[in-house]
Amino acid sequence: MSRKIQIYNTLTRQKEVFNPITENHVGMYVCGPTVYGDPHLGHARPGITFDVVFRYLKHNDYKVRYIRNITDAGHLENDADEGEDKIAKKARLEQLEPMEIVQFYTISYHKAMNDLNCLPPSIEPRATGHIIEQIEMVEQILKNGFAYKVNGSVYLDVNKYNEKYPYGTLSGRNIEDTLEGTRTLDGQSEKKSPVDFAIWKKASPEHIMRWSSPWGEGFPGWHMECSAMSEKYLGKTFDIHGGGMDLVFPHHEAEIAQSNACNDCNPVNYWMHNNMITVDGKKMGKSLGNFINLEEFFNGTHEKLERAYTPMTIRFFILQAHYRSTVDFSNEALQAAEKGFNKLMNALETLQTLSATDTSTYDVKKLEENCYMAMDDDFNTPILIAHLFDGVRIINSVKDGKESLNLTDLEKLKSIFNIFVTDILGLISAKESRGNDLTSEVMELVLQLRGNAKKSKDFGTADLIRDELNKAGIQIKDSREGTSWEVK
Ligand code: ZN
């Protein structure tokens, strides 16, 4: 391969030429969701970002082993060492088994990723399926002298660790910075230092997700699962580790410390982090009322949304920004993205109908070069999209007879669009995306007809529509805000 892919490495804070450990093979680990709630924008962004990295590396003939985990235990509230397990809490509130919560939200996460046309990872390991590996790692860290036991819990001794390995290399936070940001617990803590973190926690009597260990019944610290599972499937050092920027500290910093403390080697060569998403200029938050889950986008059922937006509009919108920039969601921005996406898809359709002429008035080879250059430059999808729109302009001009392409160039242009739009950006037309758009439009019509029937007091017809839709697996719900629908 003559071209080089440059990746911005969070660890070194610069772009580096990608050079995998094993020629033509890539090991990539991305932190997946903690499955205790509906998938939302915060899941869509890393899902799409690393899907494009996965697709582009494969396009460049790398064999990629892409691991994305499912966190189904050990993630405590506020990402801290204290508090209730997020999944156990949801299970308690809903009066369900924790694994019922895990199963339910894993299915909805998979559905959302599928709707967004994200390819499934090669392996999707779960924390609860790797308790033995995590215990083994904790034992090794203890043996190496970088952890200590207190009352059935095991903590990583960050000060001890820092004597041998520099702590804070990824986040740029050293121990003093970390201490400043840590709540002092007035001596209540059993930790030697507030910067230490749990790698194994003793389970309190009411903690239901618990396993036997050499230190009594407990559960692994949240950071431990990614260290143990990445080592199991990708080795002690692997190529790419990805995730959202909010995971840099403490999660990924802790992963680095655990791997060094256990194996005396750095776990990852290239750390990649996608930036965050805001809604109407504000951070997403349940209390701010701007926490919109993906299903609400697809159905247009959240009060902040003027209407539904298809998964492909969301995907295109996210790819219009570079993954290291922030993205702000608003109705205006989404509607603009939808227009852009439709324009691109229409051009793709038009392209199939164009006829070649003897001469070309456009440099297709240059367009291809530009597209590769954009992707080689740290997966710069907005620049790629800008180049593709240059192609869109040509497609429309050729159609109007203002420009011309010979047969070779026309075939080349078709191949560029197939490769970059479909294979790499993963954008597919509404008709291909399992009829999502079409269903929305038809449902809008059906609900309008039912609304009309109700207005003219034709309740028989209104009920018939509801019952027949129900039989077809579509549930409709009437509320003060109007009528919404969902596939059961
Ligand atoms: Zn992780």
Side-chain angles (χ1 to χ4, degrees), residues 41 44 48 115-117 294 297-298 307-321 327 329-343 345 385 426-430 433 436-437:
L41 288 173
I48 291 167
D115 286 344
L116 291 166
N117 200 26
L294 290 169
F297 272 104
F298 304 160
R307 54 186 171 79
Y309 300 99
T310 67
M312 281 302 111
T313 300
I314 305 281
R315 184 171 177 113
F316 182 75
F317 182 59
I318 285 177
L319 292 174
Q320 272 185 316
V327 168
F329 273 67
S330 66
N331 282 288
E332 300 73 50
L334 281 168
Q335 283 159 27
E338 189 178 71
K339 268 195 201 136
F341 173 69
N342 289 338
K343 200 171 164 193
M345 286 299 125
I385 290 171
L427 297 169
I428 46 177
S429 70
S433 60
N436 265 316
D437 280 45

Side-chain angles (χ1 to χ4, degrees), residues 76-84 173 175-191 193-196 201 249:
L76 304 187
E77 287 179 290
N78 307 320
D79 300 349
D81 278 347
E82 304 296 332
E84 207 172 349
R173 290 200 207 187
I175 290 187
E176 289 74 47
D177 299 335
T178 310
L179 270 173
E180 255 171 53
T182 314
R183 286 179 299 138
T184 42
L185 294 166
D186 303 328
Q188 284 173 28
S189 176
E190 57 189 20
K191 294 180 193 177
S193 160
V195 289
D196 296 348
K201 280 285 282 181
F249 191 91

Side-chain angles (χ1 to χ4, degrees), residues 418-463:
N418 274 336
I419 289 171
F420 286 96
V421 177
T422 314
D423 297 348
I424 292 168
L425 293 177
L427 297 169
I428 46 177
S429 70
K431 283 170 208 146
E432 286 167 87
S433 60
R434 292 165 297 280
N436 265 316
D437 280 45
L438 197 60
T439 312
S440 301
E441 277 172 38
V442 173
M443 279 307 298
E444 209 170 298
L445 173 70
V446 172
L447 293 182
Q448 200 183 338
L449 290 173
R450 180 167 169 271
N452 292 348
K454 276 170 85 177
K455 259 184 219 153
S456 53
K457 303 222 180 329
D458 178 4
F459 296 114
T461 301
D463 289 350

Side-chain angles (χ1 to χ4, degrees), residues 46-66:
I48 291 167
T49 297
F50 294 101
D51 182 54
V52 169
V53 172
F54 183 38
R55 285 166 178 268
Y56 192 60
L57 291 172
K58 288 206 300 181
H59 173 74
N60 282 280
D61 293 330
Y62 286 113
K63 284 190 172 40
V64 187
R65 185 178 294 161
Y66 172 21

Side-chain angles (χ1 to χ4, degrees), residues 315-321 340-341 344 367 370-371 374-375 380-392 417 420-421 425 427:
R315 184 171 177 113
F316 182 75
F317 182 59
I318 285 177
L319 292 174
Q320 272 185 316
F341 173 69
L344 186 62
L367 175 70
N370 286 339
C371 290
M375 285 305 289
N380 201 324
T381 55
I383 299 288
L384 169 63
I385 290 171
H387 290 310
L388 289 170
F389 271 96
D390 204 36
V392 168
F417 268 68
F420 286 96
V421 177
L425 293 177
L427 297 169

Side-chain angles (χ1 to χ4, degrees), residues 198-236:
I199 51 181
W200 184 266
K201 280 285 282 181
K202 179 197 172 121
S204 56
E206 64 277 11
H207 195 101
I208 38 183
M209 301 176 83
R210 56 204 295 150
W211 293 266
S212 302
S213 80
W215 318 286
E217 287 213 338
F219 56 94
W222 170 41
H223 317 304
M224 201 34 109
E225 62 173 287
C226 291
S227 290
M229 296 190 294
S230 62
E231 180 184 336
K232 175 164 176 142
Y233 298 111
L234 300 174
K236 289 180 168 56

Side-chain angles (χ1 to χ4, degrees), residues 29-32 69 71 222-223 225-227 241-242 247 251-252 255:
Y29 187 97
V30 174
C31 291
N69 67 306
T71 297
W222 170 41
H223 317 304
E225 62 173 287
C226 291
S227 290
H241 193 316
L247 293 178
H251 188 54
H252 291 160
E255 279 187 45

